Amino acid sequence: MTYMESGGDPALADYYPAWLDNLADDVTLEGSMMDGFVQGAAAVRTVVVAIRTVYDYQAFHFAGPYGDNGWLEDYTAGC
């Protein structure tokens, strides 16, 4: 499946989540495919970057501020 077939926004084709470079030292990550959690900025960054390489495609529909202190990413991904 190509990027456009997955319905992504062409303006976000090369999107990199900048928040990955601004994580708190004590951040934690849990996920449905994980047995447990990881803690710490370096560990979380490593897992998120590794997960992104598994996808055949990751098509972002929206990425941007949400509310006063939030960030929202809407994307479709597949393996």
Side-chain angles (χ1 to χ4, degrees), residues 4 7 30 51 55 57-58 63 75:
M4 291 309 295
E30 296 180 66
I51 289 169
Y55 298 140
Y57 66 90
Q58 187 176 26
Y75 61 90

Side-chain angles (χ1 to χ4, degrees), residues 46-59:
T46 298
V47 171
V48 171
V49 169
I51 289 169
R52 292 185 72 190
T53 66
V54 174
Y55 298 140
D56 287 336
Y57 66 90
Q58 187 176 26

Side-chain angles (χ1 to χ4, degrees), residues 22-53:
N22 193 29
L23 296 171
D25 292 338
D26 62 349
V27 65
T28 59
L29 173 70
E30 296 180 66
S32 60
M33 297 300 289
M34 296 173 62
D35 184 18
F37 65 94
V38 294
Q39 185 171 15
V44 169
R45 189 176 303 106
T46 298
V47 171
V48 171
V49 169
I51 289 169
R52 292 185 72 190
T53 66

